């Protein structure tokens, strides 16, 4: 079951390896929809680690819920399950083959935690700061083609041409079309 209100997304699933990949794709798509592309890698990594812990440790079942909530300046991602045992951040040795997931979540997030839900489960969450409103938009960070910079034809598709207009209007940005087929 997936719900997509404007600032909240919830997915219920069985934490099985095949479903974890599907949830990563849902997280990526939702963040693109919210124009939060810069958070996709960290949110996908975090949710993968939390779901892997549910798959590995949760008892009595692997049923869980992933929630993403876009707050004013934070993205909160949480995973709730029916196992009341809270996760423990351990110091995995250099030769350990597991036990680093929560350390990765802690390292890549602004904050994280786990809270019990009665005697029948828990919620494990992490927070990521969202891009600030005064940060340049992703399209504004693309290279621009101007008269002073001759363009290499291989990169013409990603360049922008600046067209100035008279008066007080700001320059318009128009995508440059490549002359190279394909």
């Amino acid at each position: 079951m997936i719900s997509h209100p404007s600032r909240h997304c919830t997915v219920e699933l069985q934490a099985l390896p095949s479903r974890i990949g599907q949830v990563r794709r849902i997280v990526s798509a939702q963040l693109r929809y919210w124009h939060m592309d810069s958070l996709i890698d960290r949110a996908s990594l975090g949710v993968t680690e939390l779901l892997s812990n549910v798959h590995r440790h949760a008892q009595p079942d692997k049923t869980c819920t992933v929630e993403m909530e876009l707050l004013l300046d934070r993205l909160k991602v949480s995973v709730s399950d029916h196992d009341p045992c809270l996760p423990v951040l351990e110091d995995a040795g250099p030769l350990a083959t597991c036990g680093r997931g929560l350390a990765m979540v802690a390292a890549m997030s602004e904050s994280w935690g786990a809270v019990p839900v009665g005697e029948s489960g828990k919620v494990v969450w992490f927070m990521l700061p969202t891009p600030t409103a005064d940060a340049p938009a992703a399209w504004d960070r693309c290279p621009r083609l101007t008269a002073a910079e001759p363009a290499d034809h291989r990169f013409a598709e990603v360049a922008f041409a600046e067209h100035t207009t008279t008066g007080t209007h700001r320059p318009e940005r128009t995508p440059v079309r490549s002359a190279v087929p394909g």
Side-chain angles (χ1 to χ4, degrees):
M1 171 186 199
I2 301 171
S3 64
H4 292 282
S6 62
R7 302 283 213 186
H8 192 262
C9 177
T10 303
V11 180
E12 294 180 26
L13 69 141
Q14 290 286 320
L16 303 172
S18 62
R19 297 287 298 171
I20 293 171
Q22 291 174 339
V23 172
R24 269 196 318 264
R25 288 187 292 278
I26 291 168
V27 165
S28 296
Q30 185 64 47
L31 289 172
R32 281 188 195 94
Y33 178 76
W34 285 337
H35 304 286
M36 296 287 158
D37 296 39
S38 64
L39 300 179
I40 290 172
D41 290 340
R42 290 184 292 155
S44 295
L45 172 66
V47 80
T48 298
E49 292 303 326
L50 297 184
L51 289 173
S52 295
N53 284 349
V54 173
H55 174 70
R56 184 176 175 99
H57 301 291
Q59 300 297 326
D61 64 43
K62 308 297 181 196
T63 303
C64 62
T65 303
V66 175
E67 290 186 69
M68 290 193 322
E69 187 174 8
L70 189 56
L71 307 170
L72 289 176
D73 60 351
R74 303 282 178 270
L75 173 70
K76 181 178 183 181
V77 179
S78 60
V79 175
S80 57
D81 63 47
H82 300 287
D83 185 352
C85 296
L86 295 177
V88 177
L89 181 60
E90 296 179 3
D91 186 19
L95 300 177
T97 58
C98 61
R100 293 183 179 85
L102 284 178
M104 285 194 302
V105 170
M108 64 87 191
S109 66
E110 182 178 74
S111 60
W112 76 279
V115 293
V117 177
E119 294 180 16
S120 63
K122 67 180 169 294
V123 176
V124 183
W125 57 269
F126 63 91
M127 299 280 259
L128 299 173
T130 57
T132 59
D134 57 339
W139 62 267
D140 204 25
R141 292 189 299 270
C142 292
R144 285 188 282 282
L145 174 64
T146 62
E149 302 174 59
D152 182 337
H153 72 278
R154 293 174 297 168
F155 302 109
E157 289 180 343
V158 297
F160 284 92
E162 291 193 17
H163 301 281
T164 56
T165 58
T166 58
T168 60
H169 292 91
R170 294 184 54 165
E172 289 181 32
R173 290 186 172 92
T174 309
V176 174
R177 304 266 191 285
S178 173
V180 179

